[in-house]
Amino acid sequence: MAVENCRYCTRTTDIMEVVAELEVSILYIVKDQSYRGRCILALKEHKTEVFQLSVGEVEAFGRDMAKASKAIHEAFKPDKINYAAFGDTYPHVHFHLVPKYHEGKSWGGPFELAPNPDKFLSAQEIAEPIARLREKL
Ligand SMILES: [Zn+2]
């Protein structure tokens, strides 16, 4: 059941834009592209812990994760993708998919979780990485 004040239930686009709807999840791109290609993969349904998913949902989410991370890899050629799930503020199951680059921001350490609104791309600017990702999905 959708939760009213949940960013992922309401599909709020304050910090991110929808890239694509996958099997059981939605792939978003984060408007702050300090880590080029940074995305969030969120379960369509509001569940707060991975163990609440059925076996079929876990498998489908795994396929979505593989598909999304492969698209990120092919579209942006990072040296590594970081995968992180926190959810203290928005407990809806979602993973941060953060491309990292040798000599790039936060290489060898954790990425900066909070996107910086000063660095948000305009709708016109974000269209390019969205198109690049959609082409690879
Ligand atoms: Zn939710």
Side-chain angles (χ1 to χ4, degrees):
M1 201 169 76
V3 173
E4 200 176 311
N5 61 355
C6 173
R7 165 183 290 163
Y8 301 102
C9 285
T10 57
R11 301 187 185 179
T12 304
T13 56
D14 54 349
I15 65 155
M16 58 201 185
E17 293 286 349
V18 173
V19 174
E21 189 160 330
L22 303 180
E23 274 186 75
V24 292
S25 62
I26 307 284
L27 180 64
Y28 296 94
I29 191 165
V30 176
K31 290 181 183 176
D32 176 354
Q33 285 285 288
S34 296
Y35 302 97
R36 180 150 168 80
R38 180 177 179 179
C39 290
I40 293 175
L41 187 69
L43 195 66
K44 287 179 191 171
E45 199 180 333
H46 187 91
K47 293 190 177 178
T48 57
E49 303 295 347
V50 172
F51 65 76
Q52 295 167 346
L53 280 64
S54 68
V55 171
E57 286 173 319
V58 169
E59 289 170 353
F61 194 75
R63 283 193 295 274
D64 287 354
M65 181 84 83
K67 189 175 186 176
S69 55
K70 186 167 185 272
I72 291 168
H73 178 79
E74 289 178 352
F76 303 104
K77 309 277 188 248
D79 295 300
K80 183 69 187 86
I81 298 172
N82 289 180
Y83 307 82
F86 304 101
D88 297 356
T89 313
Y90 292 95
H92 186 129
V93 169
H94 66 280
F95 281 73
H96 297 268
L97 307 180
V98 184
K100 301 277 283 293
Y101 303 87
H102 284 299
E103 316 295 329
K105 189 176 166 80
S106 314
W107 179 257
F111 63 90
E112 281 176 28
L113 181 61
N116 181 352
D118 293 339
K119 297 196 170 167
F120 283 3
L121 299 183
S122 68
Q124 197 176 0
E125 291 167 329
I126 201 91
E128 186 271 330
I130 289 174
R132 201 180 263 258
L133 279 166
R134 285 180 180 159
E135 188 184 309
K136 302 296 183 185
L137 283 168

